[in-house]
Amino acid sequence: MPSSSPSAASSGSGPLSSLLAWSRIVSLLQSPSWALLPLRAFLGVTFLYAGLSKIFDPHYLDDASPLGVHAQMLHAAATSPIGAVVSLSAHYSTVTGLAIAFGEVAVGLGALLGLFTRIAALGGVVLALSFFLTVSWTTRPYYYGADIGFAFAWSPLLIAGDAGVLSVTARLRTAIRRKLNLRPTPHESVAVQDDVERRTLLRGGLIAAAVAAVAVPLGSALALARRPSGAAASRTSLPQASTTPDALASPGTADAGTVIAAAASVPVGSSKSFTAPNGAHAYLLHPATGTFIAFNAACTHQGCPVSYVGPGFHCPCHGATYDQNGRVTGGPAPAPLIKIPVKVVEGQVVIV
């Protein structure tokens, strides 16, 4: 009889213990500090990816490319409210471009790791606002541009920080308190708290400096090595002044004579999407009787695929727009869409 009591107590406490544990987990997840974690992860990954993609992009530091940062800054300077600053930066496009790329990497890593999260968030706000005032300034309506949204998305982390959730800074602070043999107390002096924060700041700064000392030289060397040879010497005065059809890399890597579609299958005023033999997404347009034109569907801003919305094209990434002849009508695109030469041969539209 007595032996059954512990068993009953044990069986009764198991479900109760699990319920209490689950309740604590739910309560923890409902905490505002955890509520910001998805936003922090999204912004961290996005900015880290944006920075790395610039470093690995061979066109990014190419002064002769319409897709390079130099051409983009010159194009943005014409309409930006901070055009004078942008024009000055364009004279040092390599340094400016690397600063932007490494700034995005630093902001992304800071948010993901919880290392000086508020400082990382401030950097994210500054970068997003600078993009809004340059590449997205002419986007209409303004909410088509993602940059203004990113600027406001960083504000919760700028205000609240990471609250110690999955945070390197919080772990450093805990380790320092343990080393100093300090226990949490509601009456801890301000001097002690300041000393802990100073040590945390110093240790975190040393970690960040060590990472930067390795990453910046290696990343810069990689970005410069991937730049086409001679790009530094071929600086253009205006991106649109040199973006003739010959200067733009022709999509003619597609085989000549490749059939796109039967001419009769594309009525006047309609369009047809197709994939060129080189794998590029493209559009065939029939604007008038007997006239066919085709364009590579890559936006000349950042290479995002544009959509034909008739009578023109729209890029969903940063709001660039083009008319049916591929000419830029709005947004940050520095050059027209790349034209694919086509003709009608025996009722078939083929790539010339």
Side-chain angles (χ1 to χ4, degrees), residues 42-180:
F42 169 74
L43 292 174
V45 170
T46 300
F47 271 64
L48 178 60
Y49 174 79
L52 291 177
S53 66
K54 288 178 175 64
I55 293 172
F56 284 94
D57 183 1
H59 300 291
Y60 182 62
L61 297 179
D62 183 358
D63 292 342
S65 172
L67 302 180
V69 66
H70 177 69
Q72 292 177 33
M73 285 192 292
L74 288 177
H75 179 78
T79 55
S80 171
I82 55 172
V85 176
V86 178
S87 296
L88 178 62
S89 300
H91 290 293
Y92 310 95
S93 59
T94 298
V95 175
T96 303
L98 288 174
I100 293 172
F102 285 115
E104 289 177 328
V105 170
V107 165
L109 284 177
L112 287 174
L113 299 177
L115 183 61
F116 304 135
T117 305
R118 282 193 175 92
I119 297 177
L122 177 61
V125 171
V126 171
L127 284 170
L129 285 178
S130 66
F131 298 152
F132 171 69
L133 293 173
T134 52
V135 296
S136 298
W137 185 251
T138 57
T139 301
R140 298 291 183 273
Y142 73 91
Y143 51 79
Y144 277 173
D147 298 315
I148 187 64
F150 277 112
F152 281 96
W154 279 109
S155 61
L157 295 177
L158 179 60
I159 296 170
D162 55 43
V165 176
L166 302 180
S167 169
V168 171
T169 301
R171 288 182 175 272
L172 290 175
R173 186 180 294 111
T174 300
I176 289 171
R177 294 185 65 87
R178 186 182 299 114
K179 183 178 180 180
L180 296 176

Side-chain angles (χ1 to χ4, degrees), residues 218-266:
L218 290 179
S220 299
L222 176 62
L224 293 171
R226 292 179 62 83
R227 182 172 59 175
S229 59
S234 57
R235 192 176 288 273
T236 58
S237 58
L238 282 175
Q240 292 180 335
S242 63
T243 52
T244 61
D246 292 334
L248 295 171
S250 171
T253 51
D255 297 333
T258 299
V259 176
I260 299 175
S265 67
V266 187

